Amino acid sequence: MLAWGATPRRALASAAGTHGGAAGGRMWRALSFLVALPAVGVCMLNVWLEQQRHHHGPPEFVPYHHLRIRTKPFPWGDGNHTLFHNPHTNPLPTGYEK
């Protein structure tokens, strides 16, 4: 039972979402283009500059016996390279390729 002048809670909750209308969408679009995209660009520039400054080769290969186990050859290529093999970052069981 509602008291005199009381509004049901459902009406209050649904009315909160309609305030602002199209202006809210324009605000978020402007924030996306004017804040988020430049921030992503600055982060990309930072990563690129750090990569240029600190270029490192692959880490020293340690032949752990529990890594890179080949019980049967891969069904492509020579059977020793993975499908997305990168010779600069992925060593073979015997070490990095020269």
Side-chain angles (χ1 to χ4, degrees), residues 8-78:
R9 289 182 183 231
R10 184 171 179 91
L12 289 176
S14 64
T18 61
H19 185 69
R26 280 186 297 224
M27 178 193 69
W28 283 108
R29 183 175 180 176
L31 284 174
S32 296
F33 285 113
L34 298 175
V35 176
L37 289 179
V40 169
V42 168
C43 289
M44 289 173 57
L45 178 65
N46 183 31
V47 168
W48 185 74
L49 289 174
E50 286 295 319
Q51 180 67 25
Q52 296 300 319
R53 199 172 83 185
H54 297 291
H55 182 68
H56 299 289
E60 181 181 338
F61 179 74
V62 179
Y64 293 115
H65 67 278
H66 65 280
L67 297 177
R68 292 172 287 281
I69 297 173
R70 306 279 199 269
T71 57
K72 61 181 181 177
F74 291 114
W76 51 80
D78 64 350

